[in-house]
Amino acid sequence: MVRDCLSKADALKRLRNCLEDGIVEYHDHFEKRCRERGIDLQDAQRALQKGTIYREPELDIRFQEWRYRVEWTTPEGQAIALVIAFPEEYETLAITALLL
């Protein structure tokens, strides 16, 4: 069953709540893509803390979950995006990382 789609603002609130009081899990694929694309894991963490969701959520039919893209620019000027999902109310899953 597909969970309800969150608004961009509500997704950011849930993400920040997970960072404070919940669980943030980093998928193996996420860590692999960070290494391949030269994205520092500290920058990825800062992106989750300070980034913004600009795009509308996308439904991943295969996994029956909504995915959200958090975008942020590192202090060095590199724009990155992290794709996340919320498998549970107090859990965030970081799925992949992209260079923009």
Side-chain angles (χ1 to χ4, degrees), residues 16-57:
R16 304 287 153 62
N17 286 339
C18 287
L19 287 165
E20 287 286 321
D21 298 318
I23 297 168
V24 178
E25 183 179 344
Y26 299 92
H27 195 282
D28 291 341
H29 178 80
F30 173 84
E31 292 177 357
K32 180 181 177 184
R33 290 296 180 244
C34 282
R35 282 192 305 276
E36 288 176 356
R37 296 172 175 148
I39 298 172
D40 184 84
L41 290 178
Q42 288 181 340
D43 283 336
Q45 180 71 24
R46 279 187 233 122
L48 293 175
Q49 294 168 339
K50 300 179 182 202
T52 303
I53 298 174
Y54 295 108
R55 295 178 179 220
E56 293 300 320

